[in-house]
C-alpha cells in the first residue's frame, strides 16, 4: 500500500522537494544560529513513506541542534471515525506511529556522543483529524496548526514523500498553506530511493487491473465480442487507457468486498435518483409553464459530510441532475447550490441525496445522520431569508478571485462559528 | 399485431411524447427565466428527461439488440456529462462574479 501510494508523480515530487529545501534553507539557518533557540516542540506529520526513516533521523538531529523539547509525531487521518474500516485504518496508523516513535527513541539513545547522556528530548505521538473529513491542504494545515498550538509546538518538519491523500502530491500546496501560519516549516533534506520499481508496481496494481477490465468490457460491449479483431484493438485501447488514467480515474485502491458492494449499492441508487429526477422535473415544469412564473431563486450553501473525490462528485452531480438545484461551486465540503424554487431548496436541506450518497459509499449504517438543517450545515445566501453573505466578488469590485480565496481559507475558523450561530438563530425563529 | 406489440408501440409513442413535452418545457424555461443560473436548471432538464424519454423510446422500439443496449449506455453518459456541463457553466458565471437574479431584479 505504502509503496504504490506514495508520490504519484516521480519527477514532479523530486523537483518540488528540492526546490522547497533550497528556499527554506537560508531562513532556517538564520534561525538555527540565533541564540534564542526555540524551546517548544517540532511537529512531524507521519505517513508510511520510503523516506520516513530518514526524516525521523533528521528530525531527531534538528531537535538536538535547535533545542526542541519534544518531537511530536502526528498522523493525520484521511478518514473519518465511524466509516466502515476506520478502525482498521486507525490501528494501522497507530502501528506506523509506534514504529516511528521507536525509531526516534533509538536515534535519541544513539546520539549521546555529545556529553555522554541521552538528550532531553521527548517523543510524543498522536493520531489527529479523525473526527472529520479533510479535503485539501488547507484542512490538513488547520488540523496541524491546531495541534501545534495546543502542544506549544512552533515548527513543522515535512517528509518530502508526505502524501496523506494517497495519490496526489500534496507537499507543495501543504508547504504553501503552512507558510500562512506562524509555524516554521522545513522539508527534511533526505534522499529518496529510486523510483523505477514504483513504476512497475503501479503497472501491476489493482487499479490497473480494474481499469483494464472495465475498459475492455466496455469496448467489447460497443464492438463485437465474437470478432477477434475487436479483441486485439480492445486490448490495445484498454492498455493505453489504463496506463495513462488508472491512477487518475480511480483514487482509492479497489478492494474486495468494498468495491463490489459499492457498485451494488450504486445500482440500487440509480432508480432512487431517477425517481427524484422525475419528481423534481414535474415540479419545475409546472413552475415554468405557470403564466406568473412563480420562481424564487436563491444561492445556498450546504456542507455535506462525504469524503472528497468520487463521493463528493456523486453528490454534486446528483444535485445538479435534479432540476431545481444546481451545484455552482464546491469549496471542499461546502457546496454552493443555486435553487430555483423553495421546495427544491427544502429538499436539498433535508439531505436525502446526501444520505443516499453515504449509503452508496459507506453502507447502510453510515447513511443515518441528521439532515443538514438539523446540523446547521446549511445557509441561504440571498433574498429575505438570507443568513449569510454571498461569497462573490461584487460585480463592481476589482477584487481578484485568487485573493478572495486566500482570505477565505485564512479566516475560515472564525467565519464558521459566525455562520453556525446565525443559522441557529434562523432555525429558532 | 398482437396485444404485446400494440402495448409496446403505445409505450414508445408515450415516451416520445413525454420526451417532447419536457424538451418543450426546457425551451420555454430558457426563454422565460431571468438569468444564467436559472436557465442552467431548465437546460439540464431537456437532457435528463427530454433526452431520457427519447432514448427510452428508442431502446424500446429497437428492443434487446446491440443498438438498444447502446441507447441505454448513451443515456448513462448523458446523465454523467450533463450535470458536469451545467456545473461548468454555472461555476464560470459564479467566478466571473455574476450575482444570481433575485426577486425584483431586472431580467438579464
Amino acid at each position: 500500500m505504502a509503496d504504490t501510494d506514495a508520490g504519484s508523480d516521480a519527477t514532479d515530487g523530486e523537483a518540488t522537494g528540492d526546490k522547497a529545501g533550497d528556499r527554506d534553507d537560508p531562513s532556517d539557518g538564520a534561525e538555527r544560529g540565533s541564540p534564542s533557540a526555540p524551546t517548544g516542540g517540532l511537529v512531524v506529520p507521519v505517513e508510511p513513506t520510503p523516506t520516513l526513516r530518514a526524516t525521523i533521523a533528521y528530525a531527531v538531529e534538528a531537535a538536538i541542534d535547535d533545542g526542541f523539547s519534544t518531537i511530536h509525531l502526528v498522523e493525520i487521518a484521511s478518514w473519518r471515525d465511524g466509516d466502515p474500516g476506520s478502525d482498521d485504518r486507525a490501528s494501522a496508523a497507530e502501528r506506523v506511529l509506534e514504529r516511528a516513535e521507536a525509531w526516534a527513541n533509538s536515534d535519541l539513545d544513539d546520539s549521546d556522543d555529545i556529553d555522554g547522556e541521552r538528550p532531553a528530548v521527548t517523543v510524543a505521538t498522536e493520531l489527529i483529524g479523525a473526527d472529520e473529513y479533510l479535503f485539501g491542504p488547507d484542512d490538513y494545515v488547520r488540523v496541524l496548526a491546531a495541534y501545534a498550538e495546543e502542544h506549544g509546538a512552533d515548527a513543522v518538519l515535512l517528509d518530502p514523500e508526505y502524501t496523506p491523500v494517497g495519490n496526489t502530491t500534496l507537499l507543495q500546496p501543504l508547504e504553501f498553506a503552512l507558510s500562512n501560519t506562524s509555524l516554521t516549516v522545513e522539508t527534511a533534506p533526505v534522499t529518496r530511493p529510486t523510483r523505477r520499481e514504483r513504476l512497475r508496481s503501479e503497472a501491476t496494481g489493482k487499479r490497473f487491473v480494474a481499469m483494464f477490465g472495465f475498459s475492455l468490457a466496455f469496448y467489447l460491449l460497443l464492438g463485437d465480442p465474437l470478432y477477434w479483431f475487436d479483441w486485439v484493438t480492445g486490448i490495445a485501447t484498454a492498455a493505453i487507457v489504463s496506463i495513462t488514467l488508472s491512477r487518475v480515474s480511480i483514487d482509492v485502491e479497489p478492494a474486495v468486498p468494498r468495491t463490489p458492494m459499492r457498485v451494488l449499492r450504486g445500482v440500487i441508487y440509480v432508480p432512487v435518483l431517477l425517481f427524484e429526477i422525475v419528481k423534481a422535473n414535474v415540479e419545475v415544469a409546472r413552475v415554468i409553464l405557470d403564466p406568473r412564473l412563480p420562481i424564487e431563486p436563491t444561492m445556498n450553501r450546504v456542507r455535506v459530510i462525504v469524503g472528497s473525490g468520487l463521493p463528493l462528485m456523486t453528490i454534486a452531480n446528483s444535485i445538479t441532475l435534479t432540476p431545481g438545484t444546481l451545484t455552482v461551486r464546491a469549496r471542499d465540503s461546502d457546496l454552493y447550490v443555486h435553487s430555483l424554487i423553495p421546495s427544491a431548496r427544502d429538499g436539498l436541506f433535508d439531505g436525502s441525496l446526501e444520505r443516499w450518497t453515504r449509503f452508496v459509499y459507506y453502507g447502510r449504517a453510515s447513511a443515518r445522520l441528521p439532515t443538514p438543517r438539523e446540523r446547521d450545515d446549511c445557509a441561504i445566501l440571498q433574498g429575505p431569508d438570507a443568513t449569510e453573505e454571498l461569497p462573490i466578488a461584487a460585480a463592481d469590485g476589482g477584487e481578484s478571485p485568487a485573493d478572495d480565496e486566500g482570505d477565505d481559507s485564512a479566516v475560515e475558523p472564525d467565519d464558521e462559528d459566525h455562520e453556525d450561530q446565525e443559522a441557529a438563530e434562523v432555525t429558532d425563529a | 399485431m398482437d396485444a404485446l406489440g400494440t402495448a409496446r408501440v403505445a409505450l414508445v409513442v408515450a415516451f416520445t411524447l413525454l420526451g417532447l413535452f419536457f424538451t418543450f418545457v426546457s425551451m420555454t424555461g430558457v426563454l422565460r427565466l431571468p438569468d444564467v443560473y436559472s436557465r442552467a436548471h431548465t437546460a439540464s432538464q431537456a437532457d435528463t428527461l427530454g433526452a431520457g424519454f427519447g432514448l427510452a423510446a428508442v431502446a424500446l422500439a429497437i428492443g434487446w439488440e446491440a443498438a438498444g443496449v447502446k441507447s441505454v449506455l448513451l443515456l448513462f453518459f448523458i446523465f454523467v456529462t450533463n450535470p458536469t456541463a451545467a456545473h461548468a457553466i454555472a461555476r464560470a458565471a459564479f467566478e466571473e462574479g455574476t450575482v444570481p437574479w433575485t426577486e425584483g431584479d431586472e431580467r438579464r
Side-chain angles (χ1 to χ4, degrees), chain A residues 55-107:
Chain A
T55 303
I56 300 275
Y58 182 80
V60 168
E61 226 170 87
I64 294 169
D65 291 348
D66 297 354
F68 288 111
S69 60
T70 315
I71 299 174
H72 297 277
L73 303 172
V74 296
E75 180 140 356
I76 306 177
S78 57
W79 63 91
R80 184 169 171 272
D81 279 339
D83 284 356
S86 64
D87 291 346
D88 294 348
R89 299 177 72 174
S91 57
E94 293 290 350
R95 281 197 297 278
V96 172
L97 281 176
E98 270 168 34
R99 198 172 47 178
E101 187 182 14
W103 282 337
N105 277 323
S106 77
D107 282 353

Side-chain angles (χ1 to χ4, degrees), chain A residues 281 288 290-291 327 338 382, chain B residues 32 41 45 48-49 87 98 100:
Chain A
N281 252 305
I288 287 174
D290 190 314
T327 312
H338 187 260
Q382 277 190 308
Chain B
R32 291 192 72 191
H41 286 281
Q45 228 183 344
T48 49
L49 281 199
H87 169 70
T98 311

Side-chain angles (χ1 to χ4, degrees), chain A residues 218 221-222 274 277 281 285 288 290-291 293 295 297 299 317 320-321 324-329 338 340 382 392, chain B residues 25 29 32-34 37-38 40-42 45 48-49 70 73 77 79-80 83 87 90-91 94-95 98 100-102:
Chain A
F218 183 66
L221 188 66
L222 293 184
L274 279 178
I277 288 172
N281 252 305
I288 287 174
D290 190 314
L293 197 66
I295 54 167
M299 191 68 87
N317 263 12
T320 309
L321 261 179
T325 48
L326 172 72
T327 312
V328 171
R329 191 71 217 267
H338 187 260
L340 195 61
Q382 277 190 308
I392 214 167
Chain B
V25 169
R32 291 192 72 191
L33 288 169
Y37 298 101
S38 44
H41 286 281
T42 185
Q45 228 183 344
T48 49
L49 281 199
K70 276 176 203 169
L73 276 175
F77 281 112
F79 271 54
V80 173
H87 169 70
R91 181 178 164 154
F94 193 70
E95 287 188 358
T98 311
W101 181 92
T102 46

